[in-house]
Coordinates of all heavy atoms in Angstrom, one line a residue:
Chain A
T58 N 32.8 8.7 56.9 CA 32.7 7.3 56.4 C 31.4 7.2 55.7 O 30.5 8.0 55.7 CB 32.7 6.3 57.6 OG1 31.4 6.5 58.3 CG2 33.8 6.6 58.6
S59 N 31.3 6.0 54.9 CA 30.1 5.6 54.4 C 29.4 6.6 53.4 O 28.3 7.0 53.6 CB 29.1 5.2 55.5 OG 29.5 4.1 56.2
Y60 N 30.1 6.9 52.4 CA 29.6 7.8 51.4 C 29.1 7.0 50.2 O 29.6 5.9 49.9 CB 30.6 8.8 50.9 CG 31.0 9.8 51.9 CD1 32.2 9.6 52.6 CD2 30.3 10.9 52.2 CE1 32.7 10.6 53.5 CE2 30.7 11.8 53.2 CZ 31.9 11.6 53.8 OH 32.3 12.6 54.7
V61 N 28.1 7.5 49.5 CA 27.7 7.0 48.2 C 28.0 8.1 47.2 O 27.6 9.2 47.4 CB 26.2 6.7 48.2 CG1 25.7 6.3 46.8 CG2 25.9 5.5 49.1
Q62 N 28.8 7.7 46.2 CA 29.2 8.7 45.2 C 28.4 8.4 43.9 O 28.5 7.3 43.3 CB 30.7 8.7 44.9 CG 31.2 9.7 43.9 CD 32.6 9.5 43.6 OE1 33.1 8.5 43.3 NE2 33.4 10.6 43.7
L63 N 27.6 9.3 43.5 CA 26.8 9.1 42.2 C 27.4 9.8 41.1 O 27.9 11.0 41.2 CB 25.4 9.6 42.5 CG 24.6 9.0 43.6 CD1 23.3 9.7 43.9 CD2 24.3 7.5 43.3
L64 N 27.5 9.1 40.0 CA 28.3 9.6 38.8 C 27.5 9.6 37.6 O 27.0 8.6 37.1 CB 29.5 8.7 38.6 CG 30.5 8.4 39.8 CD1 31.3 7.2 39.6 CD2 31.4 9.6 39.9
E65 N 27.4 10.8 37.0 CA 26.7 10.9 35.7 C 27.8 11.4 34.7 O 28.4 12.5 34.9 CB 25.5 11.9 35.7 CG 24.8 12.1 34.4 CD 23.9 13.3 34.4 OE1 23.2 13.6 35.4 OE2 23.8 14.0 33.3
P66 N 27.9 10.7 33.5 CA 29.0 11.2 32.6 C 28.6 12.5 31.9 O 27.4 12.7 31.7 CB 29.0 10.0 31.6 CG 27.7 9.4 31.7 CD 27.2 9.5 33.1
L67 N 29.6 13.3 31.6 CA 29.3 14.6 30.9 C 29.2 14.3 29.4 O 28.5 15.0 28.7 CB 30.5 15.5 31.1 CG 30.7 16.1 32.5 CD1 32.0 16.9 32.6 CD2 29.5 16.8 33.0
H68 N 29.8 13.2 28.9 CA 29.7 12.8 27.5 C 29.8 11.3 27.4 O 30.3 10.7 28.3 CB 30.9 13.4 26.7 CG 31.2 14.8 27.0 ND1 30.4 15.9 26.6 CD2 32.2 15.4 27.8 CE1 30.9 17.0 27.0 NE2 31.9 16.8 27.7
P69 N 29.3 10.7 26.4 CA 29.4 9.3 26.2 C 30.8 8.8 26.2 O 31.1 7.7 26.7 CB 28.6 9.0 24.9 CG 27.7 10.2 24.6 CD 28.5 11.4 25.3
D70 N 31.7 9.6 25.6 CA 33.1 9.1 25.4 C 33.9 9.5 26.6 O 34.9 10.2 26.6 CB 33.7 9.7 24.1 CG 35.0 9.0 23.8 OD1 35.3 7.9 24.3 OD2 35.8 9.7 23.1
T71 N 33.5 9.0 27.8 CA 34.2 9.2 29.1 C 34.2 7.8 29.7 O 33.5 6.9 29.4 CB 33.5 10.2 30.0 OG1 32.2 9.7 30.2 CG2 33.4 11.6 29.3
P72 N 35.1 7.6 30.8 CA 35.1 6.3 31.4 C 33.7 5.9 31.9 O 33.2 4.8 31.7 CB 36.1 6.5 32.6 CG 37.0 7.6 32.1 CD 36.2 8.5 31.3
V73 N 33.0 6.8 32.6 CA 31.6 6.4 33.1 C 30.6 6.3 32.0 O 29.7 5.4 32.0 CB 31.2 7.5 34.2 CG1 29.8 7.1 34.6 CG2 32.1 7.4 35.4
G74 N 30.8 7.1 30.9 CA 29.9 7.0 29.8 C 30.1 5.6 29.1 O 29.1 5.0 28.7
R75 N 31.3 5.2 28.9 CA 31.5 3.9 28.3 C 31.0 2.7 29.2 O 30.5 1.7 28.8 CB 33.0 3.7 28.0 CG 33.5 4.6 26.8 CD 34.9 4.3 26.4 NE 35.9 4.7 27.4 CZ 36.5 5.9 27.4 NH1 36.1 6.8 26.5 NH2 37.3 6.3 28.3
F76 N 31.2 2.9 30.6 CA 30.7 1.9 31.5 C 29.2 1.8 31.4 O 28.6 0.7 31.3 CB 31.0 2.4 32.9 CG 30.5 1.4 34.0 CD1 31.3 0.4 34.5 CD2 29.2 1.6 34.6 CE1 30.8 -0.4 35.5 CE2 28.7 0.8 35.5 CZ 29.5 -0.2 36.0
L77 N 28.5 2.9 31.3 CA 27.0 2.9 31.1 C 26.6 2.2 29.8 O 25.6 1.4 29.8 CB 26.4 4.3 31.2 CG 26.3 5.0 32.5 CD1 25.8 6.4 32.4 CD2 25.3 4.2 33.4
A78 N 27.3 2.5 28.8 CA 27.0 1.9 27.5 C 27.1 0.4 27.5 O 26.4 -0.3 26.9 CB 27.8 2.5 26.4
K79 N 28.1 0.0 28.2 CA 28.5 -1.5 28.3 C 27.6 -2.3 29.3 O 27.1 -3.3 29.0 CB 30.0 -1.7 28.6 CG 30.4 -3.1 28.5 CD 32.0 -3.2 28.8 CE 32.4 -4.6 28.8 NZ 33.9 -4.7 29.2
R80 N 27.5 -1.7 30.5 CA 26.9 -2.4 31.6 C 25.6 -1.9 32.1 O 24.9 -2.5 32.9 CB 27.9 -2.5 32.7 CG 29.3 -3.0 32.3 CD 30.2 -3.4 33.4 NE 29.9 -4.8 33.7 CZ 30.7 -5.6 34.5 NH1 31.7 -5.0 35.1 NH2 30.4 -6.8 34.7
G81 N 25.3 -0.6 31.7 CA 24.1 0.0 32.3 C 24.4 0.6 33.7 O 25.5 0.5 34.2
P82 N 23.4 1.3 34.3 CA 23.6 1.9 35.6 C 23.9 0.8 36.6 O 23.4 -0.3 36.5 CB 22.3 2.6 35.9 CG 21.6 2.7 34.6 CD 22.0 1.5 33.7
G83 N 24.7 1.2 37.6 CA 25.0 0.3 38.7 C 26.3 0.6 39.4 O 26.9 1.6 39.1
L84 N 26.8 -0.4 40.2 CA 28.0 -0.3 40.9 C 29.2 -0.1 40.0 O 29.4 -0.9 39.1 CB 28.2 -1.5 41.8 CG 27.5 -1.5 43.1 CD1 27.7 -2.9 43.8 CD2 27.9 -0.4 44.0
H85 N 30.0 1.0 40.2 CA 31.1 1.3 39.3 C 32.4 1.0 39.9 O 33.3 0.5 39.3 CB 30.9 2.8 38.9 CG 32.0 3.3 38.0 ND1 33.1 4.0 38.5 CD2 32.2 3.2 36.6 CE1 33.9 4.3 37.4 NE2 33.4 3.8 36.3
H86 N 32.6 1.5 41.2 CA 33.9 1.2 41.9 C 33.7 1.3 43.4 O 32.7 1.7 43.9 CB 34.9 2.3 41.4 CG 34.7 3.7 41.9 ND1 33.9 4.6 41.2 CD2 35.1 4.3 43.0 CE1 33.9 5.7 41.8 NE2 34.6 5.6 42.9
V87 N 34.7 0.8 44.1 CA 34.8 1.0 45.5 C 36.0 1.7 45.9 O 37.1 1.5 45.2 CB 34.7 -0.4 46.3 CG1 35.8 -1.3 45.9 CG2 34.7 -0.2 47.8
A88 N 35.9 2.6 46.9 CA 37.1 3.5 47.2 C 37.4 3.3 48.7 O 36.5 3.2 49.6 CB 36.8 4.9 47.0
Y89 N 38.7 3.1 49.0 CA 39.1 2.9 50.4 C 40.0 4.1 50.8 O 40.7 4.6 50.0 CB 40.0 1.7 50.5 CG 39.3 0.4 50.1 CD1 39.4 -0.1 48.8 CD2 38.5 -0.3 51.0 CE1 38.8 -1.3 48.4 CE2 37.9 -1.5 50.6 CZ 38.0 -2.0 49.3 OH 37.4 -3.1 48.9
Q90 N 39.8 4.6 52.0 CA 40.7 5.6 52.5 C 42.0 5.1 52.9 O 42.2 4.0 53.3 CB 40.0 6.3 53.8 CG 38.9 7.2 53.4 CD 38.4 7.9 54.7 OE1 39.1 8.1 55.7 NE2 37.1 8.4 54.6
V91 N 43.0 5.9 52.6 CA 44.4 5.7 53.1 C 44.9 6.9 53.8 O 44.4 8.0 53.5 CB 45.3 5.3 51.9 CG1 44.9 4.0 51.3 CG2 45.4 6.4 50.9
A92 N 45.9 6.7 54.7 CA 46.4 7.9 55.4 C 47.4 8.6 54.5 O 47.6 9.9 54.6 CB 47.0 7.5 56.7
D93 N 48.2 7.9 53.7 CA 49.3 8.4 52.9 C 49.2 7.8 51.5 O 49.6 6.7 51.3 CB 50.6 8.1 53.6 CG 51.8 8.7 52.8 OD1 51.6 9.0 51.6 OD2 52.9 8.8 53.4
I94 N 48.6 8.6 50.6 CA 48.3 8.0 49.2 C 49.6 7.7 48.5 O 49.7 6.7 47.7 CB 47.4 8.8 48.4 CG1 46.8 8.0 47.2 CG2 48.0 10.1 48.0 CD1 45.6 8.6 46.5
D95 N 50.7 8.5 48.7 CA 51.9 8.2 48.0 C 52.5 6.9 48.4 O 53.0 6.1 47.6 CB 52.9 9.4 48.2 CG 52.3 10.7 47.7 OD1 52.2 10.8 46.4 OD2 52.0 11.6 48.5
A96 N 52.5 6.6 49.7 CA 53.0 5.4 50.3 C 52.1 4.2 49.8 O 52.6 3.1 49.5 CB 53.1 5.5 51.8
A97 N 50.8 4.4 49.8 CA 49.9 3.4 49.5 C 50.1 3.0 48.0 O 50.1 1.8 47.6 CB 48.5 3.8 49.7
L98 N 50.2 4.0 47.2 CA 50.4 3.7 45.7 C 51.7 3.0 45.5 O 51.8 2.1 44.6 CB 50.4 5.1 45.0 CG 50.0 5.0 43.5 CD1 48.7 4.3 43.2 CD2 49.8 6.5 43.0
A99 N 52.8 3.4 46.2 CA 54.0 2.7 46.1 C 53.9 1.2 46.5 O 54.5 0.3 45.9 CB 55.1 3.4 46.9
A100 N 53.1 1.0 47.6 CA 53.0 -0.4 48.0 C 52.2 -1.2 47.0 O 52.5 -2.4 46.8 CB 52.2 -0.4 49.4
C101 N 51.2 -0.6 46.4 CA 50.4 -1.3 45.4 C 51.3 -1.7 44.2 O 51.2 -2.8 43.6 CB 49.2 -0.4 44.9 SG 47.9 -0.2 46.1
R102 N 52.2 -0.7 43.8 CA 53.1 -0.9 42.7 C 54.0 -2.1 43.1 O 54.3 -3.0 42.3 CB 53.8 0.3 42.4 CG 54.7 0.3 41.1 CD 55.4 1.6 40.9 NE 54.6 2.7 40.5 CZ 54.4 3.7 41.3 NH1 55.0 3.9 42.5 NH2 53.6 4.7 40.9
A103 N 54.6 -2.0 44.3 CA 55.5 -3.1 44.7 C 54.8 -4.4 44.8 O 55.5 -5.5 44.6 CB 56.1 -2.7 46.1
A104 N 53.5 -4.5 45.0 CA 52.8 -5.7 45.1 C 52.4 -6.3 43.7 O 51.8 -7.3 43.6 CB 51.5 -5.6 46.0
G105 N 52.8 -5.5 42.7 CA 52.5 -6.0 41.4 C 51.2 -5.6 40.8 O 50.8 -6.1 39.8
L106 N 50.4 -4.8 41.5 CA 49.1 -4.4 41.0 C 49.3 -3.4 39.8 O 50.2 -2.6 39.8 CB 48.3 -3.6 42.1 CG 47.9 -4.4 43.3 CD1 46.9 -3.7 44.1 CD2 47.3 -5.8 42.9
R107 N 48.4 -3.5 38.9 CA 48.4 -2.7 37.7 C 47.7 -1.4 38.1 O 46.6 -1.4 38.6 CB 47.6 -3.4 36.6 CG 47.7 -2.7 35.3 CD 47.1 -3.6 34.2 NE 46.7 -2.8 33.0 CZ 45.8 -3.2 32.1 NH1 45.3 -4.4 32.2 NH2 45.5 -2.5 31.1
L108 N 48.3 -0.3 37.8 CA 47.8 1.0 38.2 C 47.2 1.7 37.0 O 47.7 1.7 35.9 CB 48.9 1.9 38.8 CG 49.8 1.3 39.9 CD1 50.8 2.3 40.4 CD2 49.0 0.8 41.1
I109 N 46.1 2.4 37.3 CA 45.5 3.3 36.2 C 46.2 4.7 36.4 O 46.6 5.3 35.4 CB 44.0 3.5 36.4 CG1 43.3 2.1 36.0 CG2 43.5 4.6 35.5 CD1 41.8 2.1 36.1
D110 N 46.4 5.1 37.6 CA 47.1 6.4 37.9 C 48.4 6.1 38.5 O 48.5 5.6 39.6 CB 46.2 7.2 38.9 CG 44.9 7.6 38.3 OD1 44.8 8.1 37.2 OD2 43.9 7.2 38.9
E111 N 49.5 6.5 37.8 CA 50.8 6.3 38.3 C 51.1 7.3 39.4 O 51.9 7.1 40.3 CB 51.9 6.4 37.2 CG 51.8 5.3 36.2 CD 52.4 4.0 36.8 OE1 53.1 4.0 37.7 OE2 52.0 2.9 36.2
Q112 N 50.4 8.4 39.3 CA 50.5 9.4 40.4 C 49.1 9.8 40.8 O 48.2 9.8 40.0 CB 51.2 10.7 39.8 CG 52.7 10.4 39.4 CD 53.6 10.0 40.5 OE1 53.4 10.4 41.7 NE2 54.6 9.2 40.2
P113 N 49.0 10.2 42.1 CA 47.6 10.7 42.6 C 47.2 11.9 41.8 O 48.0 12.7 41.3 CB 47.9 11.0 44.1 CG 49.1 10.3 44.4 CD 50.0 10.2 43.2
R114 N 45.9 12.0 41.7 CA 45.3 13.2 41.1 C 44.2 13.7 42.0 O 43.9 13.1 43.0 CB 44.8 12.9 39.7 CG 43.8 11.8 39.6 CD 43.6 11.4 38.1 NE 43.0 10.1 37.9 CZ 41.7 9.9 37.6 NH1 40.9 10.9 37.5 NH2 41.2 8.7 37.4
V115 N 43.6 14.9 41.6 CA 42.6 15.5 42.5 C 41.3 14.9 42.2 O 40.8 14.7 41.1 CB 42.6 17.0 42.2 CG1 41.4 17.7 43.0 CG2 43.9 17.7 42.4
G116 N 40.6 14.4 43.3 CA 39.3 13.8 43.3 C 38.3 14.8 43.9 O 38.5 16.0 44.1
I117 N 37.1 14.2 44.1 CA 36.0 15.0 44.6 C 36.4 15.6 46.0 O 37.1 15.0 46.8 CB 34.7 14.1 44.7 CG1 33.5 15.0 44.9 CG2 34.8 13.1 45.8 CD1 32.2 14.3 44.7
R118 N 36.0 16.8 46.3 CA 36.2 17.4 47.6 C 37.7 17.6 47.9 O 38.1 17.5 49.0 CB 35.5 16.7 48.7 CG 34.0 16.3 48.4 CD 33.4 15.5 49.5 NE 33.0 16.3 50.6 CZ 32.8 15.8 51.8 NH1 33.0 14.5 52.1 NH2 32.4 16.6 52.8
R119 N 38.4 17.9 46.8 CA 39.8 18.2 46.9 C 40.7 17.1 47.6 O 41.7 17.3 48.1 CB 40.1 19.5 47.7 CG 39.3 20.7 47.2 CD 39.5 22.0 48.0 NE 39.3 21.8 49.4 CZ 38.1 21.7 50.0 NH1 37.0 21.7 49.3 NH2 38.0 21.6 51.3
S120 N 40.1 15.9 47.5 CA 40.9 14.7 47.9 C 42.0 14.4 46.9 O 42.0 14.9 45.8 CB 40.0 13.5 48.1 OG 39.3 13.2 46.9
R121 N 42.9 13.5 47.3 CA 43.9 13.0 46.4 C 43.5 11.5 46.2 O 43.3 10.8 47.1 CB 45.3 13.1 46.9 CG 45.8 14.6 47.1 CD 47.2 14.6 47.7 NE 48.2 14.2 46.7 CZ 49.3 13.6 47.1 NH1 49.5 13.2 48.3 NH2 50.2 13.3 46.1
V122 N 43.4 11.1 44.9 CA 42.9 9.8 44.6 C 43.8 9.1 43.6 O 44.5 9.8 42.8 CB 41.5 9.9 44.1 CG1 40.6 10.6 45.0 CG2 41.4 10.5 42.7
A123 N 43.7 7.8 43.5 CA 44.3 7.0 42.4 C 43.5 5.8 42.2 O 43.0 5.2 43.2 CB 45.8 6.7 42.8
F124 N 43.4 5.4 41.0 CA 42.6 4.2 40.6 C 43.6 3.0 40.3 O 44.6 3.2 39.7 CB 41.7 4.4 39.4 CG 40.4 5.2 39.8 CD1 40.4 6.6 39.8 CD2 39.3 4.5 40.2 CE1 39.2 7.2 40.1 CE2 38.1 5.2 40.5 CZ 38.1 6.5 40.5
L125 N 43.2 1.8 40.8 CA 43.9 0.6 40.5 C 43.1 -0.1 39.4 O 41.9 -0.2 39.5 CB 44.0 -0.3 41.7 CG 44.5 0.4 43.0 CD1 44.5 -0.5 44.2 CD2 45.8 1.1 42.8
H126 N 43.8 -0.7 38.5 CA 43.1 -1.4 37.4 C 42.4 -2.7 37.8 O 42.9 -3.5 38.6 CB 44.1 -1.7 36.3 CG 43.5 -2.0 35.0 ND1 42.9 -3.2 34.7 CD2 43.4 -1.3 33.9 CE1 42.4 -3.2 33.4 NE2 42.7 -2.0 32.9
P127 N 41.1 -2.8 37.4 CA 40.4 -4.1 37.8 C 41.1 -5.3 37.3 O 40.9 -6.4 37.9 CB 39.0 -3.9 37.1 CG 39.2 -2.8 36.1 CD 40.3 -2.0 36.5
G128 N 41.9 -5.3 36.3 CA 42.5 -6.5 35.8 C 43.5 -7.2 36.8 O 43.7 -8.4 36.7
S129 N 44.0 -6.5 37.7 CA 44.8 -7.1 38.8 C 44.2 -7.0 40.1 O 44.8 -7.2 41.2 CB 46.2 -6.6 38.8 OG 46.2 -5.2 39.2
S130 N 42.9 -6.6 40.2 CA 42.2 -6.5 41.5 C 40.9 -7.3 41.4 O 39.8 -6.8 41.9 CB 41.9 -5.0 41.7 OG 43.1 -4.3 41.9
G131 N 40.9 -8.4 40.8 CA 39.7 -9.3 40.9 C 38.5 -8.7 40.1 O 37.4 -9.0 40.5
G132 N 38.8 -7.9 39.1 CA 37.6 -7.4 38.4 C 37.0 -6.1 39.0 O 36.0 -5.6 38.5
V133 N 37.6 -5.7 40.1 CA 37.0 -4.6 40.8 C 37.8 -3.3 40.6 O 39.0 -3.2 40.8 CB 37.0 -4.8 42.4 CG1 36.4 -3.6 43.1 CG2 36.2 -6.1 42.7
L134 N 37.1 -2.3 40.0 CA 37.8 -1.0 39.8 C 37.9 -0.4 41.3 O 36.9 -0.2 41.9 CB 37.0 -0.1 39.0 CG 37.5 1.3 38.8 CD1 38.9 1.4 38.2 CD2 36.5 2.2 37.9
T135 N 39.1 -0.3 41.7 CA 39.4 0.1 43.1 C 40.1 1.4 43.2 O 41.1 1.7 42.4 CB 40.3 -1.0 43.7 OG1 39.6 -2.3 43.6 CG2 40.6 -0.7 45.2
E136 N 39.6 2.3 44.0 CA 40.2 3.6 44.2 C 40.7 3.7 45.6 O 40.2 3.2 46.6 CB 39.1 4.7 44.0 CG 39.5 6.1 44.1 CD 38.3 7.1 44.0 OE1 37.2 6.6 43.9 OE2 38.6 8.3 44.0
I137 N 41.9 4.4 45.7 CA 42.4 4.8 47.1 C 42.3 6.3 47.2 O 42.5 7.0 46.2 CB 43.8 4.2 47.3 CG1 44.8 4.6 46.2 CG2 43.7 2.7 47.5 CD1 46.2 4.2 46.5
V138 N 41.9 6.7 48.4 CA 41.6 8.1 48.6 C 42.3 8.6 49.9 O 42.1 8.0 50.9 CB 40.1 8.3 48.8 CG1 39.7 9.8 49.0 CG2 39.2 7.7 47.7
Q139 N 43.0 9.7 49.7 CA 43.5 10.4 50.9 C 42.6 11.7 51.0 O 42.8 12.6 50.2 CB 44.9 10.8 50.7 CG 45.5 11.5 51.9 CD 47.0 11.9 51.8 OE1 47.7 11.2 51.1 NE2 47.4 13.0 52.4

Side-chain angles (χ1 to χ4, degrees):
Chain A
T58 71
S59 292
Y60 295 100
V61 171
Q62 184 184 50
L63 300 171
L64 304 159
E65 178 193 323
L67 295 176
H68 313 287
D70 189 24
T71 58
V73 176
R75 289 188 289 272
F76 178 93
L77 280 176
K79 183 177 178 185
R80 313 196 84 169
L84 281 172
H85 179 262
H86 68 271
V87 58
Y89 302 95
Q90 283 183 24
V91 296
D93 180 340
I94 196 168
D95 299 294
L98 204 51
C101 290
R102 189 181 293 112
L106 294 192
R107 187 173 160 197
L108 311 180
I109 292 177
D110 298 305
E111 291 290 335
Q112 298 296 329
R114 53 192 165 101
V115 176
I117 196 168
R118 310 175 81 201
R119 307 180 309 284
S120 56
R121 296 179 73 214
V122 307
F124 281 90
L125 315 179
H126 197 283
S129 64
S130 299
V133 178
L134 178 59
T135 303
E136 181 183 5
I137 53 176
V138 181
Q139 181 180 330

